[in-house]
Amino acid sequence: MFSFRAPNHRYQSEPFAPVRTEYTHFEFEVDGEIPAELDGTYIRNGPNPAGKISRKQHYFSGDGMVHGVRIRNGQPLWYRNRFVRVGDVPKVLGSADPGGPVSSKLDVSPNTNVVQFGSKLYATIEAGPSVVELSEELQTVARSDLNGALQDGFTGHHKIDPDDGDVHGVVYSNALGKNALYLRLTAKGEVLNRIKVPLAGSTQIHDMAITKHFAIILDLNVTFDLWMLLKTSLPIRWNEKKPCRVGIVPKDGSASDVRWFEVDPCYVYHPMNAFEEDGKLILDVSRYAHASKTDLYGPLGDTEPAIWRWIFDLDAPGSKAEEHLLVDRALDFPKISPCVEGRPYRYGYGVEASLQPSFDGAIKMDLKTGAQERQDFDGGMASELSFIPRPDSSAEDDGWLMGFVYQPQRRQSRLVILDAQHFSQPPQASIWIPEHHVPIGTHGSFFPAQ
């Protein structure tokens, strides 16, 4: 077991411990039956330092490593994990630099998510670095700015509109100063709208949300402070004095169209969903009372989150949101069916995010009845679960949830496939990764074969 006795040791020990080897596996132990409808690759990104780990190492500043499992005809064909080979990674591993433009003069290995533009996959991260093109087998191809569309970098949390396939993101960086960019792109990566929005501070904007007509900007209470580099490799901190607010802008609007609403001091890593209803915009979020205040090395040592609902009256002159607790349970990594992104919805899914232990179960929430179902993963610890709709079905919860789960009793990980309509039942299938664990990571998706 990898162990690192420093103030940040929690994030350098299993199940977060980095994997130092790039593996390729073709033979698997499989429990259950993999749905025959699944034909594609599940890919998940996450921080995984390639070199020496500093005592100041923040979990979010590890190098990117993507993990993927290719599935076809009810069988796993391969597993691969590969470093995203930009930044310091080529030097550490003794490999050639892949080339490509360096956005915002910040060369960092993207460690947060994977997005698809056209037929190409890209590893992504917030705060300005380039996206990095990946091959179908997860090899680094080159840095990219999508022919200038992403000259200021991108985000680790894009949103895809289910009606037109447009990709939305909110970008920030040191080069942009106290501003953010709202980007609306086609599915091929062409710019449809690009606006610069003044912020109330040097805000860390981890995620965003959309509705049918609007994009949502989270200008909350975690900001950048270079003095924090004396303590941690990611200089962010809780800033309660800063205004805490949410910006709402029409998808085809300009900076002058942004309307700001106040919310109580807090931080949100991940919204669950947003939608419009009767002249109001409703935003459901995994809300932390504070973050980056107690724990300077990662997201898990401050407060436990819960699912809150914020209601913004678009027809009223006021600027204060209505706020109330929606699901009183410690949950993060909230997910929905991509078919209802930005639309009224009934079902949400989240991973339990207690202070200790964390990620030791998952919940399905029925927001209409208030019912909840729990999946305990036989004592395992889950990363984010991605929802894959069942083809040709109109039922919102008809599909599968897929993600890596670390099983401490075996010190191995498995890719689980849950039937969303039988959430609390044992997984429909589990694909065990041979020889090693898959670290708890950040975000990913299932990408259907083309």
Side-chain angles (χ1 to χ4, degrees), residues 231-420:
K231 298 181 179 181
T232 176
S233 62
L234 185 65
I236 55 175
R237 68 179 180 91
W238 174 252
N239 183 358
E240 192 162 358
K241 295 181 180 179
K242 177 192 168 296
C244 190
R245 60 187 195 159
V246 174
I248 298 173
V249 58
K251 290 178 177 177
D252 293 319
S254 64
S256 62
D257 296 318
V258 180
R259 184 172 175 187
W260 293 103
F261 290 83
E262 298 174 12
V263 292
D264 291 338
C266 68
Y267 193 69
V268 171
Y269 289 107
H270 308 117
M272 185 157 67
N273 197 18
F275 58 95
E276 301 161 40
E277 187 175 77
D278 299 328
K280 297 180 179 180
L281 188 149
I282 291 91
L283 174 62
D284 296 337
V285 299
S286 174
R287 179 189 184 275
Y288 289 77
H290 60 78
S292 299
K293 178 181 179 181
T294 304
D295 189 347
L296 302 182
Y297 306 100
L300 300 176
D302 274 70
T303 58
E304 294 183 348
I307 305 298
W308 280 68
R309 172 159 288 182
W310 292 341
I311 301 174
F312 310 95
D313 192 337
L314 302 179
D315 295 330
S319 61
K320 182 72 171 73
E322 176 186 336
E323 307 176 57
H324 63 84
L325 183 64
L326 186 63
V327 179
D328 189 9
R329 199 157 189 160
L331 297 172
D332 206 334
F333 288 137
K335 298 295 288 186
I336 56 170
S337 167
C339 301
V340 294
E341 186 75 64
R343 309 298 189 268
Y345 71 117
R346 177 173 177 175
Y347 299 104
Y349 310 85
V351 178
E352 291 183 326
S354 304
L355 288 177
Q356 191 70 263
S358 294
F359 309 145
D360 58 334
I363 300 296
K364 176 182 179 180
M365 297 162 272
D366 185 332
L367 301 181
K368 180 178 180 179
T369 67
Q372 298 179 13
E373 296 181 63
R374 185 175 189 271
Q375 170 62 239
D376 66 6
F377 298 113
D378 193 26
M381 302 177 72
S383 295
E384 178 188 69
L385 301 172
S386 297
F387 191 99
I388 304 99
R390 188 185 300 275
D392 302 320
S393 175
S394 61
E396 181 185 332
D397 65 339
D398 194 4
W400 304 276
L401 290 147
M402 185 180 297
F404 288 112
V405 173
Y406 171 73
Q407 300 294 156
Q409 65 272 36
R410 290 182 53 160
R411 294 185 63 190
Q412 268 182 276
S413 297
R414 54 181 172 143
L415 180 64
V416 301
I417 303 173
L418 297 173
D419 184 331

Side-chain angles (χ1 to χ4, degrees), residues 10 18 24 52-53 61 63 99 131 161 166 242 256 267 276 283 301 328 404 426 431 440 450:
R10 178 179 190 180
T24 302
K52 183 178 179 180
I53 298 174
S61 61
D63 301 301
V131 300
D161 190 288
D166 289 350
K242 177 192 168 296
S256 62
Y267 193 69
E276 301 161 40
L283 174 62
D328 189 9
F404 288 112
I431 303 168
I440 296 288
Q450 298 195 15

Side-chain angles (χ1 to χ4, degrees), residues 9-19 47-49 59 300 358-359 381 406 437-441:
H9 66 85
R10 178 179 190 180
Y11 303 103
Q12 309 305 331
S13 303
E14 288 185 17
F16 299 94
V19 175
N48 194 107
Y59 174 64
L300 300 176
S358 294
F359 309 145
M381 302 177 72
Y406 171 73
H437 76 294
V438 175
I440 296 288

